[in-house]
Amino acid sequence: MMFKFYIWVMGWSGKINTWAWNKQVDIVRSNQRKEEEDYLKELKKETVKKSDKYDYYEGKQITDPDTGKRVYEINSYRLPSVTTILGATKNQEFLKEWKAKVGEIEAERIKNVSSARGTSMHKYLESFITNVGYDDLTELGQAAKPMAEKIIEVGLTPVEEWYGSEVTLYYPGLYAGSTDLVCLHNGRETIVDFKQANRPKKKEWIEDYFLQCSAYANAHNVMYGTNINQIVILMVDRNQEFKKFIAKDREFDHYTNKWKQRLIKFHNKGDK
């Protein structure tokens, strides 16, 4: 009888110990979250200031019912998006080979996961910059949060002030798009783009990212009479490995010329 009583007491003791341990873990995690939030708030006060230098246009993005493609309604005109133009004019061989290797179903799954994680990461970054609260409690949202925090901690440090977040830009009659950030970066007005990746990427692999940003920069220059010739791409992978890529001056001009070639190709094809 005493032995059974001992087992019964020890069983309850084990449950109590487990409960106490789990409670302690929850407290530690809660304290860590608060410390992270406090740190990011202080970091924001020190590094990101809003400037109303430019009065940005609010464009409307829609799906064209005739083509199913993303377009922007600008002053009663519909303009193709920058990403639509790049997608229609890029070499698709690598993508085809990758899909053949992993299979159509797995390729679609990877694409959807990557897209959802990237959307969440962008929302975290936009909310940080604009000082609007945001959290995503989904599994992908919680995976995206430390990725966004890495960009905030490292990538946004050189930003002295920002002019616009998720800014609609268009080149009259040719194209439109939405850039992640227009800001003063190390003393130069700059187009900044946030990118997430499944694994680290080399600069030579991401040419279309530079073409995308050069399109935004040239549209900004036409709309607001600026001379932006610097692009900064802030990239972080799912393991929080951070990379910064910069193109400016002559290299910026090189990407601008390549973007113009892709734009001409798109309009010659009639993919409008």
Side-chain angles (χ1 to χ4, degrees):
M1 178 65 95
M2 287 297 294
F3 177 72
K4 290 183 178 179
F5 177 74
Y6 173 77
I7 294 297
W8 180 76
V9 170
M10 289 304 293
W12 273 102
S13 176
K15 291 179 181 178
I16 292 172
N17 286 338
T18 300
W19 175 86
W21 171 256
N22 290 336
K23 190 67 176 177
Q24 185 63 30
V25 169
D26 289 341
I27 292 172
V28 170
R29 286 176 176 169
S30 178
N31 289 338
Q32 287 177 337
R33 282 194 296 269
K34 188 176 186 307
E35 288 175 2
E36 289 174 359
E37 290 170 359
D38 290 343
Y39 168 73
L40 291 175
K41 286 178 182 177
E42 290 302 315
L43 186 64
K44 180 180 177 64
K45 290 178 184 177
E46 295 175 5
T47 61
V48 184
K49 297 180 294 184
K50 176 72 169 72
S51 169
D52 296 321
K53 185 175 182 178
Y54 302 109
D55 184 16
Y56 285 118
Y57 176 88
E58 292 188 12
K60 183 180 179 182
Q61 186 182 141
I62 64 171
T63 299
D64 191 312
D66 298 324
T67 65
K69 295 177 180 178
R70 185 168 62 179
V71 297
Y72 285 80
E73 279 193 343
I74 307 291
N75 299 327
S76 300
Y77 291 94
R78 289 182 177 176
L79 297 176
S81 71
V82 172
T83 51
T84 293
I85 294 170
L86 290 172
T89 57
K90 72 184 300 182
N91 187 328
Q92 300 287 343
E93 286 306 311
F94 175 80
L95 184 59
K96 290 178 181 177
E97 291 175 3
W98 176 69
K99 285 184 176 181
K101 181 179 179 181
V102 303
E104 289 285 345
I105 295 176
E106 178 64 8
E108 188 68 16
R109 185 195 69 80
I110 292 172
K111 184 187 78 171
N112 291 338
V113 168
S114 180
S115 176
R117 187 173 57 227
T119 297
S120 184
M121 187 188 81
H122 275 74
K123 287 181 178 179
Y124 276 116
L125 289 165
E126 182 184 5
S127 69
F128 173 82
I129 292 166
T130 58
N131 199 23
V132 176
Y134 173 78
D135 202 358
D136 184 343
L137 299 180
T138 66
E139 183 178 350
L140 280 176
Q142 291 303 294
K145 188 173 185 177
M147 296 169 69
E149 289 172 347
K150 177 62 72 172
I151 289 178
I152 292 168
E153 180 183 355
V154 184
L156 294 184
T157 301
V159 176
E160 298 155 60
E161 59 184 24
W162 63 280
Y163 308 125
S165 174
E166 295 297 324
V167 177
T168 298
L169 298 167
Y170 67 93
Y171 199 108
L174 292 178
Y175 63 84
S178 180
T179 187
D180 291 336
L181 184 66
V182 186
C183 65
L184 191 68
H185 183 282
N186 280 337
R188 296 181 64 156
E189 293 191 342
T190 302
I191 297 292
V192 175
D193 204 42
F194 308 129
K195 298 293 185 184
Q196 69 87 37
N198 288 323
R199 60 190 178 93
K201 294 184 178 181
K202 297 179 181 179
K203 190 172 184 177
E204 56 265 30
W205 298 351
I206 59 170
E207 181 177 81
D208 274 17
Y209 294 167
F210 288 107
L211 302 190
Q212 179 184 2
C213 290
S214 69
Y216 297 150
N218 280 279
H220 196 286
N221 291 341
V222 169
M223 291 179 70
Y224 300 101
T226 52
N227 187 33
I228 296 176
N229 60 1
Q230 177 169 272
I231 296 164
V232 174
I233 296 171
L234 304 177
M235 181 183 293
V236 63
D237 69 17
R238 56 188 176 183
N239 295 317
Q240 287 106 61
E241 181 173 337
F242 171 82
K243 284 193 173 184
K244 178 170 69 175
F245 303 96
I246 298 178
K248 58 185 178 180
D249 302 328
R250 289 186 179 180
E251 189 177 15
F252 171 86
D253 293 339
H254 166 74
Y255 287 121
T256 292
N257 288 332
K258 298 201 82 169
W259 160 248
K260 290 178 180 177
Q261 293 170 18
R262 296 280 285 273
L263 185 61
I264 291 170
K265 182 179 179 180
F266 176 81
H267 283 279
N268 285 343
K269 286 176 62 179
D271 293 332
K272 301 179 184 178

